[in-house]
């Protein structure tokens, strides 16, 4: 049985099932392992982790601890309540998803190349060419304003080799969408996007054998990783025209509202609003990506995790706003409907995040593809609706190439 426990209850002999944090918050290779030494428990405490999941079938139990099923039921109930609250302003689409996907692919490629060049320049001690980065942020913003779903859904596709570069592009993209959904002006949005694009510049100084190590990090290696915010801030501060927002995001995107983050252990309102937003976006993108050492979560599961962790690590009101920004079922999510059909979310409904527009493509009862049909789940019977989402599904399980139907 899987149970959630406070880290103060950990003992040697328990089996860790999930460390309850993104990979950058701890030096362990995997989130599942037996606790064999007190030093491992001390490391968990030192990392600022507050709650973890244990597997009582593989190790010691904790009486009266809630099960994972109980925790998830409560989280799902709260998420439904969030979805039913007044939504954040939706970024209205100017063109269709199909029209924007091609342009979004080009923007994504240009942005990844730009981040690669920034990293190379930083590694060689050259100045960051901020004008090129500014132009990329403008291109990303224009794509988001035409149809945010295209670029946001593309950002979920990353290979293990180009993760570092595309992660920065993703954080930029989500920051632009997040800011726009909260009604922020274009100048602030642009600066926040620039901060997202450059937030991991300091990783250029982390040796590849540490950054991509396929094993548990030593204490010294973990310290090297944790220096990247300060290193990035130092590199970017050499650019005369860079603003305070990108600098603060680079330095403090690993801070947590409970003071458990780094490098300065800031807490609460000591952390700037846009930097709190960047922290949420950074972790969301990280846990949805496949890495050498772990399989990425689905977007919907990641939102649930972020919301669970907001009890300690994130500003809960901002997490709710982010969930309303990307949707409970983000664009590109494969979902199963009550009718047994599979569909891909293509657009959100302003009135209900639980009733998006989907493109129905597969019949699970007949186990075959069907002619694609656009269904607005908010519509009543007779007008294309009268169906509802019962679950989100893995495209790998159904062997469906989602992007083929976008």
């Amino acid at each position: 049985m899987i149970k959630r426990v406070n880290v103060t209850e950990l003992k040697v002999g328990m089996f860790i099932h999930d460390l309850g944090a993104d990979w950058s918050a701890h030096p362990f290779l995997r989130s599942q392992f037996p606790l064999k030494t007190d030093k491992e428990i001390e490391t968990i405490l030192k990392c600022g982790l507050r709650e973890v999941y244990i597997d009582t079938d593989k190790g010691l139990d904790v009486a009266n601890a809630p099960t994972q099923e109980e925790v998830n039921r409560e989280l799902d109930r709260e998420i439904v309540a969030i979805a039913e609250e007044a939504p954040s302003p939706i970024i209205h689409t100017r063109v269709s998803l199909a029209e924007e996907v091609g342009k979004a692919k080009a923007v994504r490629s240009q942005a990844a190349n730009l981040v690669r060049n920034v990293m190379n320049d930083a590694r060689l001690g050259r100045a960051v060419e901020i004008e090129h980065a500014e132009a990329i942020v403008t291109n990303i913003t224009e794509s988001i304003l035409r149809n945010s779903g295209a670029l946001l859904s593309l950002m979920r596709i990353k290979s293990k080799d180009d993760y570092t570069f595309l992660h920065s592009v993703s954080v930029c993209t989500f920051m632009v969408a997040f800011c726009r959904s909260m009604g922020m002006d274009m100048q602030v949005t642009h600066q926040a996007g620039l901060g997202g694009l450059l937030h991991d510049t300091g990783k250029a100084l982390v040796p590849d054998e540490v950054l991509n190590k396929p094993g548990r990090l030593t204490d010294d290696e973990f310290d090297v990783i944790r220096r990247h915010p300060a290193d990035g801030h130092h590199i970017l501060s050499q650019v005369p025209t860079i603003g305070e927002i990108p600098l603060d995001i680079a330095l403090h995107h690993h801070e947590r509202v409970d003071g458990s983050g780094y490098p300065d252990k800031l807490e609460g309102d000591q952390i700037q609003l846009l930097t709190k937003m960047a922290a949420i976006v950074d972790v969301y993108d990280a846990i949805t990506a496949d890495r050498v050492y772990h399989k990425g979560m689905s977007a919907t599961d990641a939102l649930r995790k972020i919301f669970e962790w907001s009890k300690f690590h994130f500003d809960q009101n901002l997490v709710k706003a982010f969930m309303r920004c990307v949707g409970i079922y983000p664009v590109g999510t494969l979902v199963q409907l009550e009718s047994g059909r599979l569909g891909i979310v293509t657009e959100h409904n302003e009135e209900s995040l639980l009733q998006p527009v989907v493109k129905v493509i597969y019949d699970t009862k007949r186990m075959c593809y069907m002619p694609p049909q656009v269904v607005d789940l908010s519509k009543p019977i007779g007008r294309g609706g009268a169906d509802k989402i019962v679950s989100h599904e893995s495209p790998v399980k159904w062997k469906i190439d989602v992007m083929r139907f976008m």
Side-chain angles (χ1 to χ4, degrees):
M1 183 180 294
I2 310 301
K3 289 185 173 182
R4 188 175 72 183
V5 301
N6 191 285
V7 293
T8 58
E9 300 177 285
L10 292 177
K11 296 178 181 177
V12 172
M14 291 181 177
F15 188 93
I16 298 293
H17 176 76
D18 183 352
L19 283 167
D22 70 289
W23 66 270
S24 67
H26 60 79
F28 297 98
L29 171 61
R30 296 180 177 86
S31 286
Q32 297 185 359
F33 56 91
L35 282 175
K36 295 181 179 179
T37 66
D38 287 330
K39 185 176 180 182
E40 289 174 324
I41 297 175
E42 289 171 9
T43 298
I44 291 173
L45 292 168
K46 183 180 176 182
C47 290
L49 306 182
R50 307 296 280 286
E51 294 177 334
V52 300
Y53 286 89
I54 61 171
D55 188 337
T56 62
D57 293 331
K58 298 179 180 179
L60 298 177
D61 195 357
V62 174
N64 302 319
T67 66
Q68 186 176 49
E69 290 76 14
E70 290 170 337
V71 171
N72 285 345
R73 277 198 300 270
E74 177 60 21
L75 288 171
D76 288 342
R77 185 191 66 76
E78 293 182 60
I79 288 171
V80 168
I82 293 168
E84 292 173 344
E85 292 175 6
S88 301
I90 283 181
I91 307 170
H92 294 287
T93 58
R94 299 177 182 176
V95 302
S96 70
L97 188 65
E99 288 177 278
E100 184 58 28
V101 164
K103 295 176 183 177
K105 285 180 179 177
V107 170
R108 177 178 180 267
S109 177
Q110 293 166 1
N113 287 333
L114 180 280
V115 175
R116 184 179 287 107
N117 291 336
V118 166
M119 293 286 198
N120 286 336
D121 287 345
R123 192 174 293 116
L124 296 171
R126 298 175 186 152
V128 173
E129 296 184 354
I130 198 70
E131 297 82 6
H132 293 170
E134 298 257 17
I136 288 295
V137 175
T138 297
N139 292 343
I140 287 172
T141 302
E142 289 174 351
S143 179
I144 290 293
L145 292 176
R146 287 192 297 267
N147 188 312
S148 62
L151 193 52
L152 290 177
S153 58
L154 280 172
M155 293 321 306
R156 291 160 58 187
I157 304 170
K158 300 181 184 69
S159 73
K160 299 177 181 69
D161 294 332
D162 60 11
Y163 169 80
T164 299
F165 311 120
L166 284 176
H167 171 64
S168 292
V169 181
S170 290
V171 173
C172 172
T173 302
F174 281 108
M175 281 298 287
V176 169
F178 198 178
C179 289
R180 295 304 293 157
S181 74
M182 291 184 65
M184 295 183 180
D185 66 43
M186 289 300 295
Q187 183 177 359
V188 170
T189 298
H190 183 87
Q191 287 293 298
L194 187 62
L197 192 68
L198 301 175
H199 80 288
D200 268 347
T201 301
K203 284 186 177 177
L205 304 187
V206 178
D208 287 341
E209 60 269 23
V210 175
L211 190 60
N212 299 309
K213 185 178 179 179
R216 179 180 172 180
L217 297 174
T218 66
D219 289 346
D220 287 343
E221 289 169 337
F222 194 45
D223 287 341
V224 169
I225 288 282
R226 287 194 164 204
R227 283 205 300 268
H228 83 266
D231 288 340
H233 180 269
H234 175 72
I235 292 167
L236 295 176
S237 65
Q238 308 306 306
V239 181
T241 57
I242 198 162
E244 288 300 317
I245 290 172
L247 286 174
D248 195 71
I249 288 174
L251 182 60
H252 291 134
H253 64 276
H254 282 291
E255 301 289 356
R256 300 294 180 254
V257 295
D258 64 350
S260 65
Y262 61 92
D264 296 322
K265 294 194 176 296
L266 302 181
E267 56 184 282
D269 290 339
Q270 291 179 316
I271 310 169
Q272 297 296 317
L273 172 65
L274 290 165
T275 304
K276 288 180 184 177
M277 293 166 63
I280 293 166
V281 168
D282 179 49
V283 172
Y284 171 77
D285 186 71
I287 63 178
T288 55
D290 289 341
R291 301 299 306 275
V292 174
Y293 35 78
H294 76 78
K295 179 74 175 173
M297 296 181 187
S298 71
T300 300
D301 286 339
L303 287 171
R304 180 201 280 159
K305 275 296 179 189
I306 294 288
F307 182 64
E308 180 181 4
W309 297 340
S310 69
K311 188 162 103 179
F312 301 113
H313 292 164
F314 305 114
D315 184 307
Q316 195 165 80
N317 288 328
L318 287 177
V319 169
K320 291 178 181 180
F322 181 66
M323 293 170 74
R324 290 192 288 266
C325 168
V326 299
I328 305 301
Y329 302 103
V331 171
T333 302
L334 183 68
V335 295
Q336 183 161 178
L337 305 179
E338 194 173 47
S339 60
R341 300 176 295 173
L342 295 180
I344 299 164
V345 176
T346 59
E347 190 178 337
H348 296 136
N349 270 310
E350 192 164 358
E351 298 303 319
S352 174
L353 293 179
L354 298 174
Q355 297 175 305
V357 178
V358 301
K359 182 183 285 186
V360 176
I361 59 168
Y362 193 86
D363 188 329
T364 63
K365 295 176 180 177
R366 298 181 181 180
M367 298 297 287
C368 65
Y369 284 97
M370 54 187 289
Q373 176 188 1
V374 176
V375 177
D376 185 341
L377 297 178
S378 69
K379 301 291 185 184
I381 189 168
R383 296 187 181 181
D387 209 342
K388 67 178 182 179
I389 295 173
V390 294
S391 65
H392 62 278
E393 297 287 327
S394 165
V396 174
K397 170 188 171 183
W398 292 97
K399 298 179 180 177
I400 291 175
D401 180 2
V402 169
M403 293 310 300
R404 173 186 159 200
F405 297 95
M406 295 289 279

